[in-house]
Amino acid sequence: MSDPKKLYIKTYGCQMNVYDSERMAETLGGQGYVETQTPDDADMILLNTCHIREKAAEKVYSELGRFKGLKAEKPDLKIGVAGCVAQAEGEEIMRRQPLVDLVVGPQSYHRLPEMEAKTREGAKALDTDFPEEDKFEMLKNRPKAKRGPTAFLTVQEGCDKFCAFCVVPYTRGAEVSRPADRILREAQDLVERGVREITLLGQNVNAYHGAGSNGDMTLAGLIWELNKVDGLERIRFTTSHPNDMADDLIEAHGTCEKLMPYLHLPVQSGSDRILKRMNRSHTAESYLRLLERIRAARPDIVMSGDFIVGFPEETEEDFQATLDLVEQVKYGYAYSFKYSTRPGTPAAERSQVDPQAADDRLQRLQALITRHQREIQDAMVGRTVRVLFEKPGRLPGQMVGKSEYLHSVHVSDADVGIGDLKDVRITSSGANSLAGALV
Ligand code: 5AD
Ligand code: SF4
């Protein structure tokens, strides 16, 4: 038998891309590829790109430029670009960077084997269609290899919301939910391979409405089905839109034992004027009322969110409203970004905020978020949390895992293995993690 060919995948951006990269590697496994951690010995390099912020495309071009030497040494090396930059740029990528052999958009990953074969014949392969067939079903099954205790599982893709700043509806396309039975089968398979915690993924995961045994199933319905899977201990989901936070999902946060008390629910801004201009279809007030209901169902839930500062036309007063909202919510985690113009989106045409003012706002917002984050983490000291151990820590004898609230927790010199779920009493809180001892 010939030696396996080596595949190097570099993943940018969100968890969805992490999941997609795994599935692409598995699919190309059927073509005789095994993954390698360095581009130097690869027979194929795939960049799985993200287009959500910053000069994404430019970064991809400069990364590609760095492979020139490798390709010169090894003319058989194939170079591919996948992900949202591939979708947005299409053929332009091959025009600007002739060393690229393959360009594949997120909806066409199941076509990778044919595309790879085409490149082996010396041709270029491009596919940025939005085909009708079920990509996930056609992607090759995962090999039965053992896995770590946590895994992502994409259940829904695409978005119909069209927030004025966002490229997702253009690069990932319209919202599509996978049928429930296929998701359950995939979950079962993951559990058989050692997974104990599954994070359900979707750009708008709480809008999930996949075909179930009797009609469409909601995300809560799907979570209840997963709750029955023996050996699966924890369920999480991300990322959600406030308008799709249905009653049954809120209720599940109070009653479904495997659903973890953590919710990522981006609000983007605290100013109603800006929210309207963002086409968000909720107000700061309606978001806060929604949170009251979620917290009534699950009082200890830790909230997480996303913010954009310096959105076109944002004034100091608008920004102040964002700080006020953050002050009221107190996020356990929050991600804040400076607005970045995405060509083709409605907000790109509007009058931009002075970059220095935007920088200054970002710093102030992040300082406030960091303070809350730290307060919430520090408040865990003295409490007992349940930790799913994932890997050895940096120091000898240390093991690290995540609490139900997604805090990193480490213990030292304890008898725990990867995949163990144990009660830990928290003894101290550091910059980015908690330390404790087994109970
Ligand atoms: N500029 C800055 N941040 C953005 N996001 C999405 N599009 C943009 C943009 N053009 C942020 C939003 C979203 C997160 C995934 O990325 O906060 O929730
Ligand atoms: Fe983008 Fe999320 Fe808005 Fe959809 S809901 S357009 S993915 S920010």
Side-chain angles (χ1 to χ4, degrees):
M1 239 172 79
S2 60
D3 281 347
K5 289 176 281 183
K6 293 201 174 119
L7 170 69
Y8 171 72
I9 304 192
K10 182 163 178 177
T11 307
Y12 301 80
C14 65
Q15 295 156 326
M16 209 111 153
N17 269 9
V18 174
Y19 175 86
D20 284 346
S21 290
E22 283 175 22
R23 300 298 307 265
M24 285 194 271
E26 287 161 359
T27 287
L28 287 169
Q31 307 295 109
Y33 281 92
V34 295
E35 259 192 283
T36 166
Q37 300 309 312
T38 143
D40 301 332
D41 64 352
D43 298 287
M44 177 163 200
I45 295 174
L46 258 186
L47 299 183
N48 189 7
T49 62
C50 169
H51 202 229
I52 197 112
R53 285 178 295 271
E54 317 284 330
K55 302 176 182 67
E58 292 315 310
K59 276 192 218 155
V60 172
Y61 285 116
S62 85
E63 180 82 34
L64 287 169
R66 264 182 261 153
F67 298 136
K68 243 185 205 140
L70 275 180
K71 183 112 175 176
E73 273 170 37
K74 201 173 178 181
D76 274 350
L77 170 67
K78 301 299 173 197
I79 296 178
V81 181
C84 293
V85 172
Q87 189 64 44
E89 296 273 298
E91 230 172 317
E92 176 64 15
I93 298 182
M94 288 170 173
R95 240 193 318 267
R96 264 186 72 177
Q97 186 45 276
L99 58 78
V100 172
D101 302 284
L102 180 156
V103 172
V104 60
Q107 300 313 324
S108 303
Y109 293 156
H110 55 293
R111 296 180 176 167
L112 266 171
E114 315 149 32
M115 295 178 75
E116 189 270 348
K118 202 168 157 192
T119 65
R120 290 284 150 213
E121 288 160 12
K124 302 241 174 198
L126 170 90
D127 195 333
T128 51
D129 291 347
F130 286 93
E132 283 293 314
E133 66 256 21
D134 183 343
K135 162 182 79 171
F136 294 105
E137 200 52 17
M138 294 178 72
L139 276 163
K140 233 185 146 49
N141 279 344
R142 295 161 184 262
K144 295 281 172 198
K146 186 127 178 70
R147 308 193 28 131
T150 64
F152 295 128
L153 202 175
T154 295
V155 302
Q156 176 279 339
E157 214 180 354
C159 182
D160 299 334
K161 297 278 190 298
F162 290 94
C163 296
F165 48 81
C166 187
V167 287
V168 166
Y170 311 95
T171 57
R172 292 271 170 169
E175 202 180 304
V176 177
S177 293
R178 298 178 63 193
D181 59 342
R182 299 189 186 158
I183 295 167
L184 290 166
R185 227 189 299 141
E186 196 172 326
Q188 187 67 50
D189 174 65
L190 287 168
V191 168
E192 280 161 21
R193 292 160 53 198
V195 169
R196 307 194 80 189
E197 171 180 307
I198 291 181
T199 302
L200 305 175
L201 298 179
Q203 264 102 20
N204 235 270
V205 73
N206 59 340
Y208 175 82
H209 57 101
S213 43
N214 37 22
D216 272 7
M217 196 178 258
T218 61
L219 182 66
L222 182 65
I223 289 169
W224 280 109
E225 286 298 314
L226 287 163
N227 199 54
K228 293 188 216 152
V229 175
D230 271 347
L232 179 64
E233 303 292 342
R234 293 179 154 187
I235 305 164
R236 304 180 186 276
F237 61 89
T238 194
T239 195
S240 297
H241 192 288
N243 283 16
D244 295 313
M245 226 34 230
D247 291 349
D248 61 347
L249 187 56
I250 297 177
E251 201 187 309
H253 270 290
T255 50
C256 183
E257 60 273 27
K258 292 184 186 173
L259 183 58
M260 292 294 105
Y262 171 93
L263 177 63
H264 184 68
L265 194 63
V267 64
Q268 312 296 357
S269 167
S271 154
D272 288 345
R273 198 178 71 83
I274 293 297
L275 286 169
K276 198 161 187 177
R277 297 290 284 151
M278 286 177 164
N279 193 29
R280 285 291 293 182
S281 64
H282 60 77
T283 62
E285 186 61 24
S286 69
Y287 180 84
L288 290 169
R289 294 289 81 80
L290 175 62
L291 236 62
E292 271 175 17
R293 291 175 49 222
I294 296 165
R295 283 185 166 146
R298 181 78 203 218
D300 63 341
I301 200 161
V302 166
M303 293 301 302
S304 151
D306 289 344
F307 291 89
I308 296 179
V309 302
F311 185 76
E313 301 157 20
E314 184 188 70
T315 63
E316 179 58 29
E317 200 186 342
D318 292 316
F319 176 65
Q320 202 57 52
T322 299
L323 293 179
D324 289 347
L325 180 137
V326 170
E327 199 61 78
Q328 290 187 63
V329 174
K330 291 208 165 44
Y331 289 91
Y333 307 83
Y335 308 90
S336 43
F337 313 102
K338 198 163 76 158
Y339 170 71
S340 124
T341 307
R342 306 284 75 201
T345 58
E349 311 297 322
R350 302 185 194 155
S351 88
Q352 307 293 315
V353 167
D354 167 46
Q356 240 162 0
D359 275 331
D360 174 66
R361 288 176 198 164
L362 185 64
Q363 276 186 24
R364 284 149 68 202
L365 177 60
Q366 287 183 339
L368 180 63
I369 288 169
T370 307
R371 180 157 65 76
H372 290 159
Q373 205 161 313
R374 193 59 204 260
E375 282 168 13
I376 291 169
Q377 195 191 288
D378 291 352
M380 295 287 161
V381 176
R383 286 183 54 179
T384 296
V385 296
R386 201 148 171 82
V387 177
L388 176 60
F389 286 95
E390 293 177 16
K391 55 181 185 220
R394 261 182 302 137
L395 303 176
Q398 226 181 32
M399 285 290 285
V400 193
K402 293 271 164 63
S403 76
E404 47 281 67
Y405 307 104
L406 214 56
H407 287 124
S408 278
V409 177
H410 53 85
V411 298
S412 292
D413 303 318
D415 183 22
V416 283
I418 291 171
D420 286 356
L421 201 55
K422 304 259 189 206
D423 283 339
V424 175
R425 193 176 150 79
I426 302 301
T427 51
S428 68
S429 171
N432 295 306
S433 65
L434 295 163
L438 292 194
V439 182

